[in-house]
């Protein structure tokens, strides 16, 4: 039975300053935590809210792909709504390699559904797009920590680790400008129900100095404990950081730092100095993880799409070549680097595997081997790999062509020519870090069932067959590919052709389920074109939609990939133009925002324009084909590995394909695709695993459906992909990311 207290009804623990929550010690600063001493899995979290940047702390869970932290690191103050305006950065401080940063899209943050901005359920799980630094701990890998599942936390001595403010019990918290990792100790003394704060899901401790006058829980509840000799507390910047208990020499996380003492709480008689925060006599509240273990387990299961990217591993940051091995041992899939196990997950739960090598130059220096024990159905994608050997039935050794002196996607500021031994820590965030996709969505043209065939351009295999609209609809289906659900698996975006009322749908790439459906242009019954790219820079691909023939002015809209909200609406061409418009998306100017590429439809003279993704202003305008008056299809991707985006065009009549340098606006490549009298639709995909965009073409109306892939730099034909039956003459649409 709880002990009553005259302070119980009114006592409060004030929340730490929003999001900017290191560790404070007793009479001297808390000791620094050196890399390689058992706490490399405690991470710094940096978030952006408009023009403001905040920091918090978190820790790596056992699967190596999830971080557990506090919800209020990401939410708008006083609410449970994620409010960050850019990708969150998770930073690991590692031995020899220094700081390794991994950027996580907004959609990679899962907040506890019961969190509403108060003192309960203050938890969030962050899904890393790539495997965290792994391998032997203390040298190569970050420790992974299990949560404590017992119910006997009260009375245990705990270790608090975080990146927050520094200070002492006398001075209170002070600025920690260097964002160093520090640690201290305390003891859990009660649950929150004893002080009417947070109930039994709250773990409470106070900051003692050995004097009964400043023993807060002793004076309030009669729990007399004058503290540890080296006792400390948490401060601003520690929010979400782990609070460890030790069982048989192993660390477990019992709580996460949630809230603490504010200034001048009149109901706490033990404060040494009510004018300072986090001083002697104050109380702190941690979220009790054993209370939330079911929710944590459900939201931290190892992703079905496993991604090992050596650019985010310590081993990938030295001058030596690396070897990746994938094998199955018992029921588990194992990923090894240089004969060291980096990841072990149940093989039954893995649906795809992406392997990315390290190095910034040519040739690539990482090799990969797929053991014969790996199931044949497990699709493997290679990026920046020198040689890949697949020992499964029907496999073999392949050598992706050289090229790409820069990382794929936008090059980080100041990163040009950075040597291998000092790779920039601010590598671009997912999904650009592994770009382009290897998927092509093939939509049937007018006159056929509204089918979409999703094809892996690398293997040539069809991975999904979708009926996009009602079986009676025959207006054709235009397509794009992008990750809108934040699970790091590309989703399929479809748009109805003529007679479809501008209907757009999104199908989940992992499950095939329909996850979004809306009308892009209410009242317009013509065809709609779609593309996908991260226009608003939040780490999630957005939908770019364009009205087809019959709509005035080349109307283009951008819809937020995470929420579906309309982000932008503009007209690409003059109000008298009725030929419709095709669209693509990609970061032409390397500012971190996908720009919008438009191609004029029939009667538009092959006019191509580019609109800035951040500002919406027109930045480029040119005519792709001299003397040509018809329409043009567009796509965007880096075809030659120079780190700059290229614009691809295909004529709506005839089969003329061109590639333009988007910055220099010069023509790079020009060739004809045979059998395309009815026009040629274009897209990009990585069909040979070299990390670069290859050209994908689809035939227009009047010819048997044909999907061909051409090498982006030379125009040489690489392969043909599966399509629809040869008897159908309505043409096909092809869509990738970009």
């Amino acid at each position: 039975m709880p002990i009553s207290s005259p302070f119980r009804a009114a006592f409060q623990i004030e929340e730490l300053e929003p999001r900017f929550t290191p560790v404070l010690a007793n009479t001297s600063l808390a000791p620094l935590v050196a890399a390689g001493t058992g706490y490399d899995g405690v991470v710094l979290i940096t978030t952006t809210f408009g023009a403001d940047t905040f920091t918090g702390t978190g820790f790596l869970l056992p699967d190596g792909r999830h971080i557990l932290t506090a919800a209020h690191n990401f939410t708008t103050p006083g609410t449970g709504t994620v409010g960050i305006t850019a990708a969150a950065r998770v930073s690991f401080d590692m031995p020899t390699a220094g700081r390794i940063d991994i950027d996580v899209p907004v959609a990679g943050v899962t907040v506890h559904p019961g969190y509403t901005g108060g003192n309960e359920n203050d938890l969030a799980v962050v899904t890393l797009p790539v495997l965290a630094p792994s391998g032997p701990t203390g040298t190569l890998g970050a420790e992974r920590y299990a949560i404590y599942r017992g119910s006997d936390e009260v009375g245990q001595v705990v270790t608090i680790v975080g990146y927050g403010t520094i200070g002492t019990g006398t001075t209170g918290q002070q600025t920690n400008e260097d964002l160093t990792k520090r640690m201290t100790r305390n003891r859990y003394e009660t649950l929150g129900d004893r002080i009417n704060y947070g109930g039994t899901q709250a773990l409470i401790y106070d900051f003692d100095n050995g004097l009964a006058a400043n023993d807060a829980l002793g004076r309030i509840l009669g729990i007399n404990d004058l503290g540890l000799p080296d006792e400390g507390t948490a401060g601003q910047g520690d929010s979400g950081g782990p609070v460890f208990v030790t069982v048989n020499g192993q660390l477990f996380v019992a709580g996460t730092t949630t809230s603490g003492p504010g200034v001048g709480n009149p109901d706490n008689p033990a404060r040494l100095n009510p004018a300072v925060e986090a001083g002697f006599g104050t109380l702190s509240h941690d979220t009790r993880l054993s209370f939330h273990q079911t929710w944590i387990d459900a939201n931290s299961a190892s992703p079905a799409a496993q991604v090992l990217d050596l650019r985010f591993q310590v081993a990938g940051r030295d001058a030596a070549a690396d070897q990746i091995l994938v094998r199955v041992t018992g029921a588990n899939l194992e990923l090894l680097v240089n004969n060291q196990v980096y990841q072990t997950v149940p093989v039954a739960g893995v649906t795809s595997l992406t392997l990315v090598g390290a190095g910034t130059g040519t040739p690539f220096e990482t090799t990969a081997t797929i053991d014969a024990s790996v199931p044949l159905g497990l699709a493997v994608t290679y990026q920046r790999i020198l040689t890949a050997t697949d020992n499964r039935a029907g496999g073999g050794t392949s050598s992706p062509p050289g090229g790409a002196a820069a990382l794929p996607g936008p090059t980080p500021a100041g990163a040009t020519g950075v040597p291998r031994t000092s790779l920039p820590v601010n590598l671009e965030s997912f999904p650009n870090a592994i770009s382009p996709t290897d998927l092509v969505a093939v939509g049937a043209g007018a006159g056929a069932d509204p089918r979409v065939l999703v094809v892996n351009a690398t293997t040539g295999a069809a991975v999904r067959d979708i009926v996009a609209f009602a079986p009676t609809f025959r207006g054709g289906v235009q397509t794009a590919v992008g990750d809108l659900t934040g699970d790091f698996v590309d989703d399929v975006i479809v748009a109805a052709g003529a007679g479809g009322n501008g209907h757009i749908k999104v199908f989940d790439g992992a499950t095939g389920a329909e996850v979004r459906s809306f009308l892009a242009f209410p009242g317009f019954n013509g065809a709609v074109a779609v593309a996908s790219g991260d226009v608003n820079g939040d780490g999630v691909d957005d939908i770019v939609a364009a009205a087809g023939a019959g709509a005035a002015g080349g109307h283009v809209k951008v819809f937020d990939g995470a929420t579906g909200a309309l982000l932008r609406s503009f007209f690409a061409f003059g109000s008298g133009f009725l030929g419709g418009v095709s669209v693509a998306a990609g970061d032409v100017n390397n500012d971190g925002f996908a720009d919008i590429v438009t191609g004029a439809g029939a009667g538009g003279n092959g006019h191509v324009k580019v609109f800035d993704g951040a500002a919406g202003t027109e930045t480029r305008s040119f005519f792709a084909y001299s003397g040509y008056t018809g329409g043009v299809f567009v796509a965007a991707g880096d075809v030659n590995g120079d780190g700059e985006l290229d614009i691809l065009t295909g004529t709506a009549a005839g089969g003329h394909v061109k590639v333009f340098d988007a910055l220099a606006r010069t023509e790079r490549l020009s060739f004809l695709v045979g059998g395309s009298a009815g026009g040629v639709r274009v897209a990009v995909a990585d069909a040979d695993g070299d990390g670069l965009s290859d050209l994908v073409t689809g035939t227009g109306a009047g010819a048997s459906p044909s999907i061909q892939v051409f090498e982006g730099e030379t125009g040489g034909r690489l392969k043909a992909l599966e399509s629809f039956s040869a008897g159908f003459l309505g043409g096909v649409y092809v869509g990738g990311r970009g």
Side-chain angles (χ1 to χ4, degrees):
M1 177 177 180
I3 299 173
S4 62
S5 166
F7 301 102
R8 180 175 184 189
F11 191 83
Q12 299 178 21
I13 298 181
E14 298 183 13
E15 185 174 350
L16 294 170
E17 291 294 324
R19 296 172 295 274
F20 205 93
T21 333
V23 174
L24 286 83
N26 198 304
T27 56
S28 60
L29 296 183
L32 290 166
V33 178
T37 59
Y39 297 99
D40 297 336
V42 180
V43 299
L44 173 66
I45 296 173
T46 306
T47 54
T48 302
F49 292 75
D52 299 318
T53 300
F54 301 93
T55 61
T57 305
F59 68 93
L60 183 63
L61 288 167
D63 78 308
R65 287 285 298 276
H66 291 97
I67 302 294
L68 188 64
T69 184
H72 74 260
N73 283 328
F74 308 97
T75 56
T76 302
T79 76
T81 303
V82 174
I84 58 175
T85 54
R89 174 156 292 178
V90 175
S91 302
F92 293 83
D93 288 316
M94 302 299 298
T96 70
R99 181 162 288 180
I100 295 177
D101 294 334
I102 301 176
D103 287 349
V104 179
V106 177
V109 177
T110 301
V111 169
H112 192 294
Y115 180 69
T116 59
N119 54 40
E120 296 182 349
N121 308 306
D122 189 10
L123 290 175
V125 171
V126 177
T127 304
L128 300 177
V130 296
L131 184 67
S134 298
T137 57
T139 54
L140 300 177
E143 287 81 8
R144 306 176 183 186
Y145 307 108
I147 64 172
Y148 187 68
R149 298 175 185 271
S151 59
D152 58 347
E153 301 97 334
V154 173
Q156 295 206 47
V157 173
V158 296
T159 300
I160 308 162
V161 184
Y163 282 89
T165 52
I166 58 177
T168 69
T170 303
T171 66
Q173 60 188 16
Q174 308 293 314
T175 302
N176 180 23
E177 295 180 352
D178 295 331
L179 292 175
T180 50
K181 187 190 301 183
R182 294 178 182 265
M183 64 189 300
T184 191
R185 297 198 306 159
N186 208 299
R187 187 194 312 272
Y188 283 142
E189 295 186 52
T190 186
L191 298 179
D193 60 340
R194 297 284 301 276
I195 57 172
N196 200 27
Y197 190 90
T200 57
Q201 65 171 276
L203 293 162
I204 308 297
Y205 63 88
D206 59 13
F207 191 6
D208 295 304
N209 61 357
L211 300 176
N214 304 118
D215 178 10
L217 289 170
R219 296 190 62 179
I220 296 166
L221 294 178
I223 303 175
N224 299 309
D225 181 353
L226 299 185
L228 306 172
D230 56 349
E231 187 159 298
T233 190
Q236 297 170 5
D238 289 321
S239 285
V243 182
F244 294 100
V245 295
T246 303
V247 180
N248 297 324
Q250 182 177 352
L251 291 173
F252 293 85
V253 184
T256 52
T257 296
T258 297
S259 58
V263 175
N265 191 322
D267 299 308
N268 182 356
R271 296 179 71 122
L272 176 67
N273 184 355
V276 301
E277 292 190 72
F280 287 129
T282 54
L283 290 116
S284 290
H285 154 220
D286 294 344
T287 296
R288 187 184 186 191
L289 300 189
S290 65
F291 185 93
H292 294 285
Q293 57 184 288
T294 300
W295 181 84
I296 295 170
D297 292 344
N299 287 277
S300 60
S302 191
Q306 290 289 316
V307 182
L308 172 59
D309 189 334
L310 293 193
R311 295 173 298 169
F312 299 93
Q313 300 293 332
V314 174
R317 297 195 170 204
D318 57 25
D322 300 298
Q323 298 82 41
I324 299 173
L325 171 65
V326 182
R327 70 187 182 192
V328 172
T329 301
N332 293 322
L333 181 76
E334 293 184 335
L335 308 181
L336 291 81
V337 179
N338 304 328
N339 296 317
Q340 302 277 2
V341 176
Y342 273 44
Q343 179 71 315
T344 301
V345 293
V347 67
V350 180
T351 59
S352 67
L353 175 62
T354 299
L355 305 177
V356 186
T360 58
T362 304
F364 306 134
E365 57 189 35
T366 304
T367 59
T369 301
I370 310 301
D371 188 75
S373 59
V374 176
L376 282 173
L378 178 59
V380 183
T381 299
Y382 307 99
Q383 305 281 350
R384 310 192 65 77
I385 298 295
L386 176 64
T387 58
T389 302
D390 193 336
N391 290 319
R392 298 176 293 182
T397 300
S398 60
S399 298
L407 296 175
T411 302
T416 302
V418 173
R420 173 87 193 299
T421 53
S422 58
L423 282 173
V425 296
N426 57 333
L427 290 169
E428 58 269 31
S429 61
F430 224 76
N432 290 330
I434 303 176
S435 178
T437 179
D438 58 1
L439 295 182
V440 178
V442 182
D449 294 342
R451 287 176 57 200
V452 174
L453 198 63
V454 184
V455 181
N456 184 306
T458 304
T459 66
V463 297
R464 198 171 299 282
D465 193 340
I466 299 170
V467 178
F469 302 103
T472 54
F473 177 69
R474 294 290 191 275
V477 185
Q478 299 200 37
T479 59
V481 170
D483 181 14
L484 278 71
T485 55
D487 60 356
F488 315 113
V489 178
D490 283 316
D491 308 306
V492 179
I493 306 152
V494 300
N501 299 307
H503 198 176
I504 291 179
K505 292 184 179 183
V506 179
F507 292 88
D508 188 278
T511 66
E514 181 184 316
V515 294
R516 191 167 300 165
S517 176
F518 64 98
L519 302 182
F521 300 92
F524 175 66
N525 201 28
V528 171
V530 284
S532 181
D534 186 7
V535 176
N536 61 356
D538 66 351
V540 178
D541 287 330
D542 306 306
I543 298 173
V544 181
H555 198 179
V556 178
K557 291 183 179 182
V558 182
F559 298 90
D560 188 286
T563 67
L566 179 65
L567 296 176
R568 191 165 298 154
S569 176
F570 65 94
F571 294 89
F573 303 103
S575 59
F577 178 67
L578 300 175
V581 61
S582 64
V583 283
D587 190 5
V588 173
N589 57 6
N590 278 338
D591 65 351
F593 299 86
D595 306 305
I596 300 165
V597 183
T598 63
N605 302 310
H607 198 178
V608 176
K609 291 184 178 183
V610 179
F611 295 85
D612 187 277
T617 55
E618 180 182 317
T619 60
R620 286 163 181 76
S621 176
F622 63 95
F623 293 90
Y625 302 91
S626 176
Y628 173 71
T629 60
V632 62
F633 295 96
V634 291
D638 180 11
V639 302
N640 65 346
D642 64 355
E644 307 292 347
L645 213 66
D646 305 298
I647 296 175
L648 289 64
T649 62
T651 54
H656 198 174
V657 174
K658 287 188 177 184
V659 178
F660 296 87
D661 183 301
L663 287 180
R665 309 178 202 184
T666 55
E667 183 180 308
R668 276 190 172 163
L669 193 63
S670 176
F671 63 95
L672 296 175
V673 177
S676 299
V680 58
R681 289 83 184 256
V682 291
V684 294
D686 181 11
D688 52 13
D690 64 354
L692 304 179
S693 296
D694 301 306
L695 285 68
V696 181
T697 66
T699 50
S704 294
S706 173
I707 311 297
Q708 299 188 67
V709 183
F710 300 87
E711 200 277 327
E713 192 166 13
T714 66
R717 186 177 181 276
L718 293 176
K719 64 180 72 174
L721 299 179
E722 184 174 345
S723 185
F724 302 111
S725 61
F728 174 64
L729 302 180
V732 289
Y733 293 97
V734 289
R737 180 193 289 145

